[in-house]
Amino acid sequence: MISRASLTGAVSAGIISADQADKLVSYLSLQAANIQKQQDQENTHDPEEVRFTRGFHDIFISLGILIVFAGYGIGLGEPLTQGGLPTAAVAGAGAIISWVLAEWFTKIKKLALPSILLTGIFGGAIALVGFGLFTPSVLNDESEAIQVILSSIFALGGASLFYWRFKVPITLTVIVAGIMGMIVGVLTYVTDTQILDYLSWVSLVCGLFAFACAMYFDTKDTRRETLNTDKAFWLHLLAAPLIVHSILSGIYFEELTETYAVVSIAVVLAFGAVALVIDRRAMLVAALSYLALH
């Protein structure tokens, strides 16, 4: 772009008038803005980019967090697996530690990968606290469904509080999982465990519920520029294995036959078609990963 000093010199030399110089500056400024806009559109980020890490700094911190909590779980493994108040106490301490670490690594430093790990650790710890507190002996009820219901509510409340404080996108997946656990527990209690005979259908409904939540956040951010796309990403990762599991477990196979292979291929193709329509590779990857593990 021609500098303003050059145009002023041209006006002084009588080559162009002052009015022409002003119009030329306006034209060149508009042209430069259009070029920049076109370059920004050509260099758009990956629509499924999820901010995991900013470098090895995040990875080393994450490894340190894993080592700390692995040592904590192994060192206190006996009370952690004993059940009741010992489990609640050890898991509760773990939840407090993960929250304190999140105050620094998530709230202050804004580190993505450590935040994801701390969210998962906190969610698991708070769920164990619920299972430790609400045992059948404490509740004076032999039904394990009541324990699942109350533990899910407890975990749901903890995850909601964690999300309110730190706004980590993956926390919504933990919240949705807690809602699913609560609903399954209620259905199990109401039907006197008969619903367990239809687990494949329950899994399908839960998967579709997670998928609907994911699509809700996708529709709120069609350009994939805000944290809503990260929320949808994790929910798709939750939805896909549940849906695949419901389909394959609903069809009984005594052994891995050619029919099973054909059904698996059909499921993958169906998920591939859906992934193309909604522009979400994460859903297909999650489905393929589940099939690979089974």
Side-chain angles (χ1 to χ4, degrees):
M1 182 176 174
I2 302 174
S3 66
R4 185 72 187 186
S6 299
L7 290 175
T8 302
V11 171
S12 300
I15 300 174
I16 59 175
S17 65
D19 183 58
Q20 289 175 325
D22 291 336
K23 291 181 179 179
L24 186 57
V25 169
S26 299
Y27 170 76
L28 292 175
S29 298
L30 180 61
Q31 188 181 47
N34 290 334
I35 293 174
Q36 183 62 43
K37 184 178 180 181
Q38 183 178 0
Q39 290 176 347
D40 291 341
Q41 290 177 347
E42 292 175 353
N43 298 324
T44 53
H45 66 284
D46 185 347
E48 284 201 90
E49 178 186 4
V50 179
R51 291 158 284 277
F52 284 114
T53 177
R54 291 179 295 186
F56 280 104
H57 175 260
D58 291 17
I59 295 175
F60 290 142
I61 291 175
S62 300
L63 289 174
I65 291 172
L66 289 176
I67 292 172
V68 167
F69 281 98
Y72 182 83
I74 294 172
L76 298 175
E78 183 176 349
L80 192 61
T81 58
Q82 186 175 345
L85 291 179
T87 296
V90 173
I96 293 173
I97 294 171
S98 62
W99 185 290
V100 172
L101 291 175
E103 288 288 347
W104 175 255
F105 293 118
T106 304
K107 193 71 175 177
I108 298 176
K109 304 300 291 184
K110 310 292 185 185
L111 301 181
L113 187 56
S115 298
I116 292 171
L117 290 176
L118 289 171
T119 300
I121 292 169
F122 179 83
I126 206 70
L128 283 175
V129 172
F131 271 97
L133 291 176
F134 305 115
T135 59
S137 59
V138 172
L139 299 171
N140 293 322
D141 193 321
E142 296 301 321
S143 175
E144 294 183 356
I146 296 294
Q147 183 184 23
V148 172
I149 295 170
L150 295 177
S151 300
S152 297
I153 294 174
F154 191 82
L156 182 60
S160 299
L161 190 62
F162 195 88
Y163 179 74
W164 170 79
R165 176 62 178 169
F166 302 110
K167 298 294 188 298
V168 181
I170 194 176
T171 314
L172 282 178
T173 304
V174 179
I175 292 173
V176 170
I179 294 173
M180 292 177 184
M182 181 178 63
I183 293 174
V184 172
V186 170
L187 291 175
T188 302
Y189 184 77
V190 171
T191 62
D192 194 20
T193 71
Q194 293 183 15
I195 192 67
L196 299 180
D197 296 331
Y198 305 94
L199 273 181
S200 60
W201 289 102
V202 174
S203 177
L204 178 62
V205 172
C206 289
L208 292 176
F209 173 67
F211 178 72
C213 293
M215 291 306 300
Y216 168 76
F217 288 108
D218 268 339
T219 55
K220 290 183 65 176
D221 182 22
T222 55
R223 294 177 62 86
R224 309 280 174 86
E225 294 177 341
T226 68
L227 286 178
N228 283 325
T229 188
D230 291 3
K231 298 171 186 176
F233 172 86
W234 293 110
L235 287 167
H236 279 301
L237 290 185
L238 174 64
L242 289 172
I243 296 174
V244 173
H245 174 75
S246 67
I247 295 172
L248 296 182
S249 64
I251 306 173
Y252 175 74
F253 293 99
E254 188 173 348
E255 57 185 13
L256 299 180
T257 61
E258 294 180 359
T259 305
Y260 182 86
V262 170
V263 172
S264 299
I265 293 172
V267 170
V268 171
L269 291 176
F271 267 84
V274 173
L276 286 174
V277 171
I278 65 175
D279 192 22
R280 271 294 182 187
R281 297 186 298 272
M283 190 172 187
L284 178 60
V285 171
L288 289 172
S289 300
Y290 176 85
L291 287 173
L293 293 174
H294 288 74

